[in-house]
Amino acid sequence: MDRIDLHTHTTASDGTLRPTELIKLALNVGLTALGVTDHDTVDGLDEALRTGRDLGIEVVPGIEISAEFKPGTMHVLGYFVQPDEPVFAEKLRVLQEARRTRNPRIVEKLNALGFEITMEEVAAVAGGGQVGRPNFARVMLDKGYVTSMDEAFDRYLTKGGPAYVDKFRLSPADSIELIHQARGLAVLAHPFTLGLDAPGIQALVADLVGQGLDGLEVYYSEHDESKTRTCLDLAARHGLAVTGGSDFHGDNKPEVALGSGIEGNLAIPRELLEALRRKWREAVNPS
Ligand code: AMP
Ligand code: ZN
Ligand code: FE
Ligand code: FE
């Protein structure tokens, strides 16, 4: 079976591998296609697409938008986005500015909690790309303030935690629209991080379908069989595209392996990408 991974991060956001290193790893683990989906940025896509062409592996240009949502976390993946579409590019700049405003405030909160951490240290571990919370967690771990990345999140950085600082986000509808503006398909990522039970997810997805949602991330590192089944049923009910990915972040999420998830729980068939592409062609070329 040809296997793929449609959800990965590079140093352009909070992954630890550069785009080229990620593509090489994908080849090494035997994948035939890779979706590159950095948070709120397309800065890694040029390098990823170029390396993919050079090495003979398909790279699907993507993004992962952080949307406004309570009680949990909503991320909307975009696939086959056109990185240089002007309105898309401008809105991404706004989201990146919101991050740059937030990050020093996280440093202030960590300092007030007694941790000696500077913005320069955090930027340094981000590898030149955009800074995200895993980069703060990494510095806390490296300095011995916590014993794992998870501890840094659970005790300090998680939503509502003592070092958490909110940032401007697009609404779910605006996130979907932004992806469509870039001629991409909008896919709800890891539906179980929304903080809803299965009926809650079902109701929300029905709403999002009304707002133009194109697909659902069914296969995911943190999904057991029951979660996978719930998502698969929901996608079928609404005629949504089915996607899957590991959410690989390199050493920033060491338990997650590219293409194979947590303890080998993932094996995503290439057919999903072909179906996604068909849906995309119909959407961008309605005839
Ligand atoms: P940011 O976009 O800077 O707010 O950071 C979001 C990133 O933090 C995501 O990629 C998640 O993988 C990671 N993250 C968020 N919450 C947690 C958590 N509770 N434990 C571990 N990682 C988390
Ligand atoms: Zn991330
Ligand atoms: Fe996500
Ligand atoms: Fe992700």
Side-chain angles (χ1 to χ4, degrees):
M1 177 181 96
D2 273 1
R3 290 187 311 120
I4 64 172
D5 190 331
L6 292 176
H7 188 160
T8 66
H9 296 270
T10 75
T11 49
S13 65
D14 53 3
T16 58
L17 296 190
R18 300 199 48 82
T20 296
E21 296 169 323
L22 176 71
I23 305 300
K24 287 182 174 166
L25 179 61
L27 273 171
N28 280 334
V29 300
L31 302 180
T32 68
L34 193 71
V36 177
T37 54
D38 278 306
H39 300 284
D40 304 326
T41 181
V42 290
D43 287 352
L45 293 183
D46 270 355
E47 181 183 325
L49 288 163
R50 204 174 339 107
T51 308
R53 274 193 297 273
D54 290 348
L55 301 182
I57 175 169
E58 179 177 359
V59 171
V60 180
I63 192 159
E64 184 174 23
I65 304 286
S66 301
E68 186 65 51
F69 189 75
K70 285 187 174 75
T73 296
M74 185 190 294
H75 288 170
V76 185
L77 293 157
Y79 289 111
F80 301 111
V81 291
Q82 215 170 291
D84 50 3
E85 198 289 321
V87 175
F88 178 60
E90 176 52 34
K91 291 203 171 144
L92 292 185
R93 274 193 287 278
V94 172
L95 298 180
Q96 288 153 14
E97 183 56 33
R99 236 172 230 286
R100 277 193 294 274
T101 310
R102 174 197 69 167
N103 289 335
R105 297 175 58 209
I106 297 183
V107 171
E108 283 171 22
K109 284 199 166 184
L110 289 171
N111 292 160
L113 288 162
F115 303 116
E116 287 181 27
I117 286 177
T118 65
M119 197 57 229
E120 289 69 33
E121 290 168 326
V122 179
V125 300
Q130 173 174 267
V131 170
R133 280 180 287 159
N135 304 126
F136 293 88
R138 163 62 53 185
V139 174
M140 294 178 79
L141 177 61
D142 289 349
K143 292 196 149 188
Y145 292 138
V146 289
T147 57
S148 68
M149 302 281 289
D150 274 348
E151 186 189 345
F153 269 97
D154 294 347
R155 293 182 63 180
Y156 304 106
L157 295 166
T158 193
K159 196 171 191 175
Y164 181 75
V165 180
D166 224 338
K167 64 178 182 314
F168 168 76
R169 292 161 191 263
L170 295 176
S171 71
D174 288 347
S175 302
I176 293 169
E177 190 187 312
L178 176 64
I179 290 163
H180 287 169
Q181 177 82 39
R183 301 168 71 83
L185 289 183
V187 173
L188 181 66
H190 41 66
F192 280 90
T193 66
L194 293 163
L196 303 173
D197 57 9
I201 293 173
Q202 284 155 1
L204 177 83
V205 167
D207 280 353
L208 295 178
V209 167
Q211 296 164 358
L213 188 73
D214 303 292
L216 208 57
E217 189 171 54
V218 170
Y219 303 101
Y220 188 67
S221 293
E222 286 165 27
H223 283 181
D224 57 17
E225 265 180 52
S226 140
K227 287 177 175 165
T228 303
R229 170 56 55 190
T230 299
C231 292
L232 201 54
D233 289 348
L234 195 50
R237 189 180 316 162
H238 294 287
L240 292 168
V242 170
T243 74
S246 66
D247 210 356
F248 178 77
H249 281 70
D251 291 341
N252 279 344
K253 253 193 198 182
E255 70 283 9
V256 173
L258 184 65
S260 55
I262 298 172
E263 293 174 357
N265 67 345
L266 280 183
I268 300 154
R270 174 143 193 138
E271 284 72 39
L272 295 186
L273 173 57
E274 301 312 331
L276 189 67
R277 194 193 323 276
R278 284 195 294 276
K279 192 169 184 106
W280 175 64
R281 291 211 169 114
E282 285 163 20
V284 298
N285 291 316
S287 52

